[in-house]
Amino acid sequence: MFLPLDAIWAMDAKKGKTKNKASNNNSSKTFVTPATIALKLLITWIYWDAGYGKYSDTLQGWSFNAQPLPALDTYVRHTVVARYMYGILGPTGLRYMTPTVVYAEMFTAPVALLGSFWGSKAIVYGAVALMCSMHIGIAMTVRNTVLLSSVACVAWCIFLPEGVGADLAFTRGGGDGRVNNGKSSHGSIGSQSGKSFVKKHGFSAVIIGVFICGSVWFESLSAECNQSMEHVWSTLLHCRWNVFVGAEEYVTWEIAPGRLLDGSIVDVWSKSDQVSWEMPGAGVPCTSTARAGRWRSFPYLAELDGEDGEALWSYLCRQWDEENGVNDGNDGKKLLRFNFFMLQADVLPNMGFSATRKRLIHSHDCLSDSNFVKENEKIGGYDFSSEEL
């Protein structure tokens, strides 16, 4: 359904081979159901909302006249590809490119819908290629966005018309450049009577309708208490992509210097024997935290206290001990205490960054069960707030 490439990648490839064995044209047909229609409209809404959020940003970070820096100038600087792109385009080129992202997000999905309605494969392919190119560019120039960009590209596959497998030379057969809007034998509205269509898709249409009503309620009428991420429906009904809305004014990263039983000082967060207060990334500007994946959300839980906070921070103690063989007799590597810092640097023109600022988030004693009291920054003779080791 999402990759209508017939005998190569389609989920119903085996069924399609049997059914179309005697057919000269094996190109798969466009599915037209309440689900596919709703998904296309959902993608259109998400991208329009994201683009309009950038357009209406009070600081105008995505406009040509953004001050002090346009958004792309602040984001496109943290990978090798980004630095090459910065070198080729320069600050002026990125300033001109920045507003194009806004209009691409706002209008590409509606254009793809119109292309489907008019039956123009060229328009649909152009829209899908444009958005996938944008997401591939994001993955290559903005650190830690590969997975997000890949998922976004997959979502656009719902717009692919029939015969895409043949058009890309993956299957035999070809198209005439027109999208079949009413002659599909695989679920289109035009191939079924109204009664049979309702019978086949009526239940799914009701479920989708309830979901749409729930999303409208959540975004426009629900109280703040109902929007908490503690509720399951908050995750299901939050159909917005509120990322990269404004220009990045600063970059952040984390370190956690800790003292071991043998007296040595290590960085618990990066699992390193050396503590560095410099911006990470092999000597080049980046915003890469030492821990990727779900660990990137760890600092957002720093405000937890009581039993929840104790469990959160004590896990770092247990993890360090387990990974360094403390339980197997390597007692000298036992972690006694650590401080968790968030470091910050302002984004400056010409790939520059300001001096690093540091903020102590939490001090934790691994040998204590009660860490949520005010502690002195100097513990055991070592000043954790100082860069002097």
Side-chain angles (χ1 to χ4, degrees), residues 66-78:
Q67 295 296 333
L69 294 173
L72 283 185
D73 197 320
T74 65
Y75 288 116
V76 181
R77 54 172 65 194
H78 305 312

Side-chain angles (χ1 to χ4, degrees), residues 270-316:
S270 65
K271 303 178 183 179
S272 171
D273 292 334
Q274 302 293 327
V275 178
S276 174
W277 297 81
E278 301 299 321
M279 187 178 297
V284 296
C286 75
T287 54
S288 173
T289 182
R291 301 193 182 200
R294 289 180 293 179
W295 281 104
R296 291 182 58 79
S297 64
F298 189 92
Y300 295 99
L301 303 176
E303 295 182 357
L304 292 177
D305 55 13
E307 294 182 0
D308 293 337
E310 195 70 46
L312 177 75
W313 297 105
S314 294
Y315 181 81
L316 294 180

Side-chain angles (χ1 to χ4, degrees), residues 260-276:
L260 304 184
L261 185 61
D262 61 8
S264 59
I265 304 298
V266 298
D267 186 354
V268 179
W269 186 245
S270 65
K271 303 178 183 179
S272 171
D273 292 334
Q274 302 293 327
V275 178
S276 174

Side-chain angles (χ1 to χ4, degrees), residues 58-75:
T58 55
L59 298 178
Q60 296 295 298
W62 288 91
S63 68
F64 177 78
N65 297 315
Q67 295 296 333
L69 294 173
L72 283 185
D73 197 320
T74 65
Y75 288 116

Side-chain angles (χ1 to χ4, degrees), residues 34 38 69 92 97 115-116 123 184 193 228 247 257 325 357 383:
L69 294 173
T92 302
M97 183 180 290
S116 298
I123 294 178
S184 167
S193 66
S228 170
R357 300 184 299 273
D383 187 356

Side-chain angles (χ1 to χ4, degrees), residues 307-381:
E307 294 182 0
D308 293 337
E310 195 70 46
L312 177 75
W313 297 105
S314 294
Y315 181 81
L316 294 180
C317 300
R318 297 195 305 272
Q319 183 189 51
W320 176 274
D321 290 349
E322 291 174 1
E323 294 183 355
N324 288 275
V326 173
N327 298 328
D328 297 327
N330 192 12
D331 296 336
K333 290 295 184 179
K334 182 174 181 58
L335 180 62
L336 301 181
R337 60 185 68 88
F338 67 87
N339 277 13
F340 191 89
F341 286 94
M342 179 170 287
L343 307 182
Q344 194 175 84
D346 294 331
V347 176
L348 301 178
N350 299 316
M351 297 285 283
F353 294 91
S354 70
T356 300
R357 300 184 299 273
K358 55 180 177 287
R359 181 163 65 96
L360 178 63
I361 302 299
H362 178 73
S363 297
H364 196 82
D365 185 348
C366 296
L367 304 180
S368 173
D369 294 330
S370 179
N371 282 275
F372 291 88
V373 294
K374 190 172 182 179
E375 302 168 322
N376 294 323
E377 289 186 349
K378 286 191 176 183
I379 304 176

Side-chain angles (χ1 to χ4, degrees), residues 194-217:
K195 185 176 181 180
S196 63
F197 185 85
V198 171
K199 182 178 179 180
K200 186 174 183 179
H201 302 292
F203 180 74
S204 63
V206 171
I207 298 299
I208 293 170
V210 171
F211 181 83
I212 293 175
C213 292
S215 296
V216 173
W217 164 81

